[in-house]
Amino acid sequence: MQNGFRLTIFEATKPTGNMHYKYLVHICVFALTGLIVSCNKDDNGNSNTTPTTTGGYTGSGSVTQGVGTSTTGNLFAAGQRVASIGTITSTDGKKWTVPAEVNFTNSLFPMASDLHNGYVPGHNYSNATQAVAGLSGSDIVTIDADGEVYTTYIFADNYFEMYVNGIPVGKDPVPYTDFNSCIVRFTAKKPFTLAVKCVDWEENLGIGTESNNGNSYHIGDGGFVAVIKDATGNIVVVTDNSWKAQTYYTSPIANLDCVTESGNVRSSTGCNTSAGTASSYGIHWVIPDNWYDIGYDDSNWPAATTFTNATVGVDNKSSYTNFTNIFDNSAQDASFIWSTNLLLDNVVLLRKKVE
Ligand SMILES: [Ca+2]
Ligand SMILES: [Ca+2]
Ligand SMILES: [Ca+2]
Ligand SMILES: [Ca+2]
Protein backbone atom coordinates (compact mmCIF):
# COMPACT_ATOMS: atom_id res chain seq x y z
CA MET A 1 0.00 0.00 0.00
CA GLN A 2 1.42 3.37 -0.95
CA ASN A 3 0.79 6.79 0.52
CA GLY A 4 -0.80 5.44 3.67
CA PHE A 5 -0.55 3.17 6.63
CA ARG A 6 -2.53 0.38 8.20
CA LEU A 7 -4.03 0.33 11.67
CA THR A 8 -5.69 -2.50 13.48
CA ILE A 9 -8.34 -0.42 15.15
CA PHE A 10 -10.08 -2.84 17.49
CA GLU A 11 -10.77 -6.43 18.24
CA ALA A 12 -14.46 -7.19 18.27
CA THR A 13 -16.30 -10.07 19.84
CA LYS A 14 -19.15 -11.40 17.76
CA PRO A 15 -21.84 -13.47 19.46
CA THR A 16 -22.45 -16.76 17.67
CA GLY A 17 -25.17 -18.60 19.51
CA ASN A 18 -23.64 -20.34 22.51
CA MET A 19 -20.12 -19.15 21.82
CA HIS A 20 -18.12 -16.12 20.87
CA TYR A 21 -15.97 -15.84 17.82
CA LYS A 22 -13.22 -13.28 17.95
CA TYR A 23 -12.15 -11.53 14.84
CA LEU A 24 -10.00 -8.61 13.89
CA VAL A 25 -11.24 -5.60 12.02
CA HIS A 26 -8.55 -4.00 9.92
CA ILE A 27 -8.88 -0.50 8.59
CA CYS A 28 -6.64 1.16 6.05
CA VAL A 29 -6.11 4.89 6.40
CA PHE A 30 -4.85 6.72 3.37
CA ALA A 31 -2.85 9.74 4.47
CA LEU A 32 -3.04 11.65 1.20
CA THR A 33 -6.62 11.02 0.19
CA GLY A 34 -8.19 11.04 3.63
CA LEU A 35 -10.34 8.08 2.58
CA ILE A 36 -11.04 5.33 5.07
CA VAL A 37 -11.88 2.03 3.46
CA SER A 38 -12.17 -1.49 4.76
CA CYS A 39 -9.06 -3.40 3.82
CA ASN A 40 -8.73 -7.05 2.85
CA LYS A 41 -6.02 -8.67 4.92
CA ASP A 42 -5.39 -12.28 5.81
CA ASP A 43 -3.91 -13.84 8.96
CA ASN A 44 -0.45 -13.67 7.46
CA GLY A 45 -0.71 -9.90 7.13
CA ASN A 46 -1.11 -9.97 3.36
CA SER A 47 -3.37 -7.47 1.65
CA ASN A 48 -4.70 -7.13 -1.87
CA THR A 49 -2.50 -5.56 -4.48
CA THR A 50 -3.01 -4.10 -7.89
CA PRO A 51 -2.25 -6.37 -10.87
CA THR A 52 1.42 -7.03 -11.46
CA THR A 53 3.35 -9.21 -13.89
CA THR A 54 5.49 -12.09 -12.65
CA GLY A 55 7.13 -14.48 -15.09
CA GLY A 56 4.32 -14.28 -17.62
CA TYR A 57 1.46 -14.08 -15.14
CA THR A 58 -0.37 -10.77 -14.96
CA GLY A 59 -2.94 -10.42 -12.22
CA SER A 60 -3.75 -9.51 -8.63
CA GLY A 61 -2.49 -12.80 -7.16
CA SER A 62 0.95 -13.57 -5.76
CA VAL A 63 3.24 -16.20 -7.29
CA THR A 64 5.00 -18.97 -5.36
CA GLN A 65 7.30 -21.67 -6.69
CA GLY A 66 8.15 -25.07 -5.25
CA VAL A 67 7.24 -26.74 -1.98
CA GLY A 68 6.27 -24.97 1.25
CA THR A 69 7.59 -25.55 4.77
CA SER A 70 5.46 -27.68 7.06
CA THR A 71 4.41 -25.96 10.29
CA THR A 72 1.85 -28.51 11.49
CA GLY A 73 2.83 -32.10 10.78
CA ASN A 74 -0.63 -33.62 10.70
CA LEU A 75 -4.00 -32.16 11.72
CA PHE A 76 -5.64 -35.58 11.82
CA ALA A 77 -3.29 -38.38 12.83
CA ALA A 78 -5.81 -41.16 12.16
CA GLY A 79 -6.26 -40.06 8.55
CA GLN A 80 -5.29 -42.06 5.50
CA ARG A 81 -3.25 -39.24 3.97
CA VAL A 82 -1.22 -36.78 6.09
CA ALA A 83 -3.14 -33.50 6.51
CA SER A 84 -0.24 -31.12 6.94
CA ILE A 85 -0.27 -27.32 7.08
CA GLY A 86 2.64 -25.15 6.02
CA THR A 87 3.78 -21.78 4.80
CA ILE A 88 5.31 -20.56 1.58
CA THR A 89 6.63 -17.14 0.53
CA SER A 90 5.69 -15.58 -2.80
CA THR A 91 7.99 -13.66 -5.13
CA ASP A 92 6.58 -10.40 -3.75
CA GLY A 93 7.70 -11.34 -0.23
CA LYS A 94 4.29 -12.30 1.18
CA LYS A 95 3.79 -15.36 3.37
CA TRP A 96 0.93 -17.76 2.64
CA THR A 97 -0.56 -20.69 4.54
CA VAL A 98 -0.87 -23.85 2.44
CA PRO A 99 -3.07 -25.48 1.52
CA ALA A 100 -5.25 -22.94 3.41
CA GLU A 101 -5.85 -21.09 6.66
CA VAL A 102 -8.37 -23.26 8.47
CA ASN A 103 -10.19 -23.38 11.80
CA PHE A 104 -9.66 -27.12 12.29
CA THR A 105 -7.93 -26.66 15.67
CA ASN A 106 -10.14 -23.71 16.68
CA SER A 107 -12.47 -25.07 19.38
CA LEU A 108 -14.79 -22.09 18.88
CA PHE A 109 -15.65 -23.27 15.36
CA PRO A 110 -18.15 -26.13 15.73
CA MET A 111 -17.39 -29.54 14.25
CA ALA A 112 -19.95 -30.83 11.78
CA SER A 113 -21.82 -34.02 12.70
CA ASP A 114 -21.24 -37.29 10.87
CA LEU A 115 -23.36 -38.52 8.01
CA HIS A 116 -20.67 -41.12 7.35
CA ASN A 117 -17.28 -41.22 9.09
CA GLY A 118 -15.18 -44.38 9.22
CA TYR A 119 -12.96 -42.92 11.96
CA VAL A 120 -15.76 -42.83 14.56
CA PRO A 121 -17.11 -46.19 15.74
CA GLY A 122 -20.76 -46.60 14.77
CA HIS A 123 -20.76 -43.63 12.39
CA ASN A 124 -20.62 -45.65 9.15
CA TYR A 125 -24.31 -44.90 8.70
CA SER A 126 -26.08 -46.66 5.87
CA ASN A 127 -28.75 -44.00 5.47
CA ALA A 128 -29.45 -40.41 6.53
CA THR A 129 -32.34 -41.31 8.85
CA GLN A 130 -29.97 -43.39 10.99
CA ALA A 131 -27.38 -40.61 11.04
CA VAL A 132 -29.87 -37.90 12.09
CA ALA A 133 -31.34 -40.23 14.74
CA GLY A 134 -27.87 -40.39 16.28
CA LEU A 135 -27.80 -36.66 16.97
CA SER A 136 -28.60 -35.28 20.44
CA GLY A 137 -29.81 -31.82 19.45
CA SER A 138 -26.80 -30.09 20.99
CA ASP A 139 -25.37 -29.95 17.47
CA ILE A 140 -27.96 -27.37 16.34
CA VAL A 141 -26.40 -23.92 15.96
CA THR A 142 -28.72 -20.99 16.66
CA ILE A 143 -28.78 -18.31 13.98
CA ASP A 144 -32.31 -17.05 14.72
CA ALA A 145 -33.75 -18.32 18.00
CA ASP A 146 -37.29 -18.20 16.56
CA GLY A 147 -36.28 -19.79 13.26
CA GLU A 148 -36.89 -23.34 12.07
CA VAL A 149 -34.38 -26.16 12.12
CA TYR A 150 -32.60 -26.72 8.81
CA THR A 151 -30.55 -29.85 8.14
CA THR A 152 -27.61 -29.72 5.72
CA TYR A 153 -26.11 -32.84 4.12
CA ILE A 154 -22.59 -32.36 2.77
CA PHE A 155 -19.94 -34.32 0.90
CA ALA A 156 -16.71 -32.39 0.33
CA ASP A 157 -13.47 -33.29 -1.44
CA ASN A 158 -11.63 -32.76 0.83
CA TYR A 159 -12.49 -30.17 3.53
CA PHE A 160 -15.05 -27.44 4.22
CA GLU A 161 -15.95 -24.77 6.76
CA MET A 162 -19.50 -23.44 6.60
CA TYR A 163 -21.13 -20.23 7.87
CA VAL A 164 -24.76 -19.09 7.98
CA ASN A 165 -25.23 -15.32 8.17
CA GLY A 166 -21.56 -15.01 9.09
CA ILE A 167 -21.82 -17.44 12.01
CA PRO A 168 -19.71 -20.63 11.95
CA VAL A 169 -22.03 -23.66 11.80
CA GLY A 170 -19.73 -26.56 10.98
CA LYS A 171 -16.28 -27.72 9.85
CA ASP A 172 -15.31 -31.03 8.30
CA PRO A 173 -13.98 -33.49 10.94
CA VAL A 174 -11.71 -35.24 8.37
CA PRO A 175 -9.50 -32.67 6.63
CA TYR A 176 -7.99 -34.89 3.93
CA THR A 177 -8.79 -38.60 3.50
CA ASP A 178 -10.46 -41.05 3.83
CA PHE A 179 -13.65 -39.55 2.39
CA ASN A 180 -16.42 -38.74 4.87
CA SER A 181 -19.74 -36.90 4.72
CA CYS A 182 -21.43 -34.54 7.17
CA ILE A 183 -24.59 -33.13 8.69
CA VAL A 184 -24.86 -29.49 9.79
CA ARG A 185 -28.02 -28.32 11.55
CA PHE A 186 -29.01 -24.76 12.43
CA THR A 187 -32.09 -22.70 13.31
CA ALA A 188 -32.69 -19.78 10.99
CA LYS A 189 -35.30 -17.65 9.27
CA LYS A 190 -35.26 -16.99 5.56
CA PRO A 191 -33.58 -15.29 3.91
CA PHE A 192 -30.21 -16.54 5.10
CA THR A 193 -26.77 -16.48 3.51
CA LEU A 194 -24.53 -19.52 3.19
CA ALA A 195 -20.76 -19.18 2.89
CA VAL A 196 -18.41 -22.14 2.56
CA LYS A 197 -14.63 -22.36 2.43
CA CYS A 198 -13.62 -25.44 0.41
CA VAL A 199 -10.12 -26.91 0.40
CA ASP A 200 -8.79 -29.56 -1.95
CA TRP A 201 -6.01 -30.77 0.37
CA GLU A 202 -2.47 -31.62 -0.81
CA GLU A 203 0.42 -33.86 0.30
CA ASN A 204 3.09 -31.72 -1.35
CA LEU A 205 2.48 -28.38 0.35
CA GLY A 206 2.21 -25.43 -2.00
CA ILE A 207 2.15 -27.40 -5.24
CA GLY A 208 -1.32 -28.97 -5.09
CA THR A 209 -0.19 -32.54 -5.59
CA GLU A 210 -0.33 -35.94 -3.92
CA SER A 211 1.01 -39.45 -4.47
CA ASN A 212 -1.23 -41.57 -6.67
CA ASN A 213 -0.54 -44.75 -8.63
CA GLY A 214 3.21 -44.26 -8.49
CA ASN A 215 3.09 -40.59 -9.48
CA SER A 216 4.42 -38.41 -6.63
CA TYR A 217 2.99 -35.27 -8.21
CA HIS A 218 -0.51 -36.37 -9.14
CA ILE A 219 -2.95 -33.45 -9.33
CA GLY A 220 -5.82 -34.04 -6.90
CA ASP A 221 -9.32 -32.70 -7.50
CA GLY A 222 -11.92 -30.93 -5.37
CA GLY A 223 -15.73 -30.85 -5.30
CA PHE A 224 -18.54 -29.86 -2.93
CA VAL A 225 -22.14 -31.00 -2.85
CA ALA A 226 -24.84 -30.00 -0.34
CA VAL A 227 -28.56 -30.37 0.23
CA ILE A 228 -30.51 -28.40 2.85
CA LYS A 229 -33.90 -29.62 4.06
CA ASP A 230 -36.39 -27.75 6.23
CA ALA A 231 -38.05 -29.08 9.39
CA THR A 232 -40.68 -30.92 7.35
CA GLY A 233 -38.08 -32.62 5.15
CA ASN A 234 -38.60 -30.51 2.03
CA ILE A 235 -35.48 -29.56 0.08
CA VAL A 236 -34.91 -25.80 0.30
CA VAL A 237 -31.59 -25.51 -1.52
CA VAL A 238 -29.14 -27.70 -3.42
CA THR A 239 -25.71 -26.90 -4.81
CA ASP A 240 -26.00 -25.73 -8.43
CA ASN A 241 -24.79 -22.94 -10.70
CA SER A 242 -26.87 -20.34 -8.84
CA TRP A 243 -24.13 -20.38 -6.17
CA LYS A 244 -21.14 -18.05 -6.43
CA ALA A 245 -17.59 -19.46 -6.46
CA GLN A 246 -14.28 -17.63 -6.22
CA THR A 247 -10.76 -19.08 -6.40
CA TYR A 248 -8.04 -18.10 -3.88
CA TYR A 249 -5.27 -20.66 -4.50
CA THR A 250 -4.36 -22.36 -7.76
CA SER A 251 -1.59 -24.95 -8.18
CA PRO A 252 0.32 -26.69 -9.72
CA ILE A 253 0.97 -24.28 -12.58
CA ALA A 254 3.65 -25.25 -15.11
CA ASN A 255 3.69 -22.04 -17.16
CA LEU A 256 2.59 -18.83 -15.51
CA ASP A 257 1.13 -17.34 -18.69
CA CYS A 258 -1.65 -19.96 -18.73
CA VAL A 259 -3.50 -18.21 -15.88
CA THR A 260 -5.68 -15.33 -17.00
CA GLU A 261 -7.47 -12.71 -14.95
CA SER A 262 -10.27 -10.46 -16.12
CA GLY A 263 -12.09 -8.51 -13.43
CA ASN A 264 -13.04 -11.09 -10.80
CA VAL A 265 -12.63 -14.04 -13.19
CA ARG A 266 -9.47 -15.98 -12.27
CA SER A 267 -9.10 -18.68 -14.87
CA SER A 268 -6.66 -21.57 -15.05
CA THR A 269 -8.68 -23.46 -17.65
CA GLY A 270 -5.88 -22.99 -20.20
CA CYS A 271 -3.32 -24.70 -17.96
CA ASN A 272 -1.86 -28.19 -18.25
CA THR A 273 -3.42 -30.64 -15.76
CA SER A 274 -1.40 -33.80 -16.46
CA ALA A 275 0.93 -33.63 -13.41
CA GLY A 276 2.96 -31.25 -11.25
CA THR A 277 6.66 -31.14 -10.43
CA ALA A 278 8.70 -30.16 -7.37
CA SER A 279 9.17 -26.72 -8.94
CA SER A 280 5.58 -26.03 -9.99
CA TYR A 281 4.13 -22.58 -9.39
CA GLY A 282 1.17 -21.56 -7.26
CA ILE A 283 -0.99 -18.42 -7.36
CA HIS A 284 -2.49 -17.03 -4.14
CA TRP A 285 -5.07 -14.31 -3.63
CA VAL A 286 -5.88 -12.62 -0.29
CA ILE A 287 -9.14 -13.81 1.24
CA PRO A 288 -11.21 -10.81 2.43
CA ASP A 289 -11.77 -10.71 6.21
CA ASN A 290 -15.53 -10.44 5.84
CA TRP A 291 -16.04 -12.86 2.93
CA TYR A 292 -18.55 -14.95 4.93
CA ASP A 293 -20.70 -12.08 6.22
CA ILE A 294 -24.25 -11.41 5.02
CA GLY A 295 -23.27 -8.04 3.64
CA TYR A 296 -20.20 -9.14 1.67
CA ASP A 297 -20.68 -8.14 -1.97
CA ASP A 298 -20.28 -11.28 -4.10
CA SER A 299 -22.18 -9.82 -7.06
CA ASN A 300 -19.05 -9.85 -9.21
CA TRP A 301 -17.96 -13.35 -8.25
CA PRO A 302 -18.26 -15.94 -11.00
CA ALA A 303 -21.09 -18.46 -10.91
CA ALA A 304 -20.15 -21.88 -9.58
CA THR A 305 -19.38 -24.54 -12.18
CA THR A 306 -21.19 -27.88 -11.87
CA PHE A 307 -19.50 -31.27 -12.21
CA THR A 308 -20.88 -34.80 -12.51
CA ASN A 309 -20.46 -37.51 -9.88
CA ALA A 310 -18.27 -39.39 -12.37
CA THR A 311 -15.93 -36.42 -12.85
CA VAL A 312 -15.50 -35.97 -9.10
CA GLY A 313 -15.21 -39.75 -8.73
CA VAL A 314 -17.58 -40.64 -5.89
CA ASP A 315 -19.16 -43.79 -7.30
CA ASN A 316 -16.91 -46.03 -5.16
CA LYS A 317 -17.22 -44.01 -1.93
CA SER A 318 -19.82 -45.25 0.56
CA SER A 319 -19.76 -41.84 2.29
CA TYR A 320 -21.49 -40.68 -0.90
CA THR A 321 -23.25 -43.73 -2.39
CA ASN A 322 -25.13 -44.55 0.85
CA PHE A 323 -26.90 -41.20 0.50
CA THR A 324 -27.76 -40.90 -3.18
CA ASN A 325 -31.43 -40.50 -2.18
CA ILE A 326 -30.28 -37.15 -0.70
CA PHE A 327 -27.57 -36.02 -3.11
CA ASP A 328 -29.12 -37.40 -6.32
CA ASN A 329 -32.79 -36.69 -5.63
CA SER A 330 -34.66 -37.21 -8.90
CA ALA A 331 -36.81 -34.10 -8.46
CA GLN A 332 -34.10 -31.78 -7.10
CA ASP A 333 -30.68 -33.16 -7.91
CA ALA A 334 -27.73 -31.53 -6.12
CA SER A 335 -24.70 -31.03 -8.38
CA PHE A 336 -21.08 -31.00 -7.34
CA ILE A 337 -19.84 -27.43 -7.61
CA TRP A 338 -16.45 -25.71 -7.66
CA SER A 339 -14.72 -22.94 -9.56
CA THR A 340 -14.08 -23.51 -13.27
CA ASN A 341 -11.05 -25.73 -12.56
CA LEU A 342 -11.78 -28.78 -10.39
CA LEU A 343 -8.14 -29.88 -10.55
CA LEU A 344 -5.98 -26.78 -10.16
CA ASP A 345 -8.10 -24.53 -7.95
CA ASN A 346 -7.49 -25.76 -4.41
CA VAL A 347 -9.09 -23.09 -2.20
CA VAL A 348 -12.53 -22.02 -3.39
CA LEU A 349 -15.05 -19.87 -1.51
CA LEU A 350 -18.74 -20.44 -2.16
CA ARG A 351 -21.70 -18.20 -1.35
CA LYS A 352 -25.45 -18.53 -1.76
CA LYS A 353 -28.39 -16.50 -0.46
CA VAL A 354 -31.40 -18.68 0.35
CA GLU A 355 -34.59 -16.70 -0.19
CA1 LIG B 1 -13.44 -34.46 4.56
CA1 LIG C 1 -8.95 -33.88 -3.31
CA1 LIG D 1 -26.38 -35.21 -7.53
CA1 LIG E 1 -6.20 -29.79 -6.78
Side-chain angles (χ1 to χ4, degrees):
M1 182 170 30
Q2 294 182 337
N3 300 330
F5 58 94
R6 181 194 308 285
L7 294 174
T8 295
I9 300 298
F10 60 88
E11 183 179 69
T13 301
K14 185 177 183 182
T16 58
N18 57 358
M19 64 174 204
H20 288 79
Y21 185 70
K22 282 188 175 178
Y23 66 102
L24 294 175
V25 175
H26 303 280
I27 296 181
C28 292
V29 179
F30 289 84
L32 295 185
T33 64
L35 290 174
I36 298 178
V37 296
S38 69
C39 182
N40 298 336
K41 181 169 178 281
D42 70 5
D43 291 348
N44 292 316
N46 298 329
S47 57
N48 277 357
T49 55
T50 51
T52 55
T53 299
T54 308
Y57 163 72
T58 300
S60 61
S62 296
V63 175
T64 62
Q65 185 174 19
V67 182
T69 302
S70 178
T71 53
T72 300
N74 192 354
L75 285 177
F76 187 67
Q80 190 182 70
R81 291 181 186 270
V82 174
S84 184
I85 292 269
T87 58
I88 192 166
T89 302
S90 49
T91 58
D92 53 5
K94 295 176 181 173
K95 193 170 157 188
W96 303 87
T97 300
V98 282
E101 290 170 10
V102 293
N103 286 289
F104 190 77
T105 60
N106 177 1
S107 60
L108 299 179
F109 201 116
M111 195 72 85
S113 304
D114 293 323
L115 183 57
H116 192 280
N117 183 348
Y119 296 106
V120 180
H123 286 205
N124 277 328
Y125 297 110
S126 55
N127 61 68
T129 306
Q130 274 183 9
V132 171
L135 301 177
S136 68
S138 64
D139 58 296
I140 301 171
V141 177
T142 302
I143 309 299
D144 300 306
D146 55 344
E148 74 175 290
V149 177
Y150 290 96
T151 303
T152 316
Y153 302 91
I154 296 169
F155 179 99
D157 183 347
N158 296 93
Y159 177 78
F160 73 91
E161 293 176 350
M162 177 169 153
Y163 302 79
V164 175
N165 290 353
I167 296 171
V169 293
K171 64 187 173 194
D172 192 334
V174 184
Y176 201 170
T177 61
D178 203 359
F179 290 91
N180 62 311
S181 50
C182 298
I183 298 173
V184 171
R185 297 198 294 179
F186 57 92
T187 60
K189 290 160 71 174
K190 288 186 192 174
F192 54 83
T193 298
L194 307 169
V196 186
K197 176 184 276 188
C198 297
V199 183
D200 176 26
W201 218 275
E202 57 193 15
E203 281 178 325
N204 303 307
L205 293 172
I207 53 172
T209 54
E210 60 196 20
S211 177
N212 187 276
N213 283 332
N215 177 4
S216 301
Y217 299 107
H218 173 79
I219 300 176
D221 65 357
F224 177 85
V225 65
V227 173
I228 300 183
K229 294 188 176 188
D230 65 17
T232 57
N234 294 317
I235 295 175
V236 294
V237 66
V238 297
T239 41
D240 59 21
N241 62 7
S242 72
W243 289 54
K244 295 296 186 94
Q246 183 58 295
T247 299
Y248 285 88
Y249 165 40
T250 298
S251 186
I253 301 295
N255 300 298
L256 287 169
D257 57 5
C258 70
V259 181
T260 63
E261 200 167 321
S262 174
N264 268 336
V265 177
R266 303 163 180 173
S267 176
S268 55
T269 53
C271 299
N272 185 305
T273 55
S274 57
T277 72
S279 56
S280 292
Y281 296 101
I283 314 250
H284 299 260
W285 290 268
V286 174
I287 294 178
D289 283 334
N290 61 339
W291 71 270
Y292 45 76
D293 283 343
I294 301 176
Y296 181 77
D297 182 6
D298 60 22
S299 59
N300 289 325
W301 279 18
T305 303
T306 60
F307 297 90
T308 65
N309 293 356
T311 300
V312 178
V314 290
D315 292 339
N316 61 348
K317 296 175 175 65
S318 53
S319 50
Y320 186 88
T321 56
N322 285 7
F323 313 100
T324 51
N325 66 318
I326 306 269
F327 296 123
D328 300 329
N329 183 284
S330 56
Q332 230 173 328
D333 181 29
S335 296
F336 274 96
I337 60 172
W338 204 250
S339 64
T340 48
N341 199 324
L342 189 70
L343 287 161
L344 298 186
D345 293 343
N346 302 318
V347 176
V348 173
L349 304 185
L350 305 172
R351 285 177 58 92
K352 167 74 179 175
K353 185 176 182 182
V354 180
E355 307 278 3

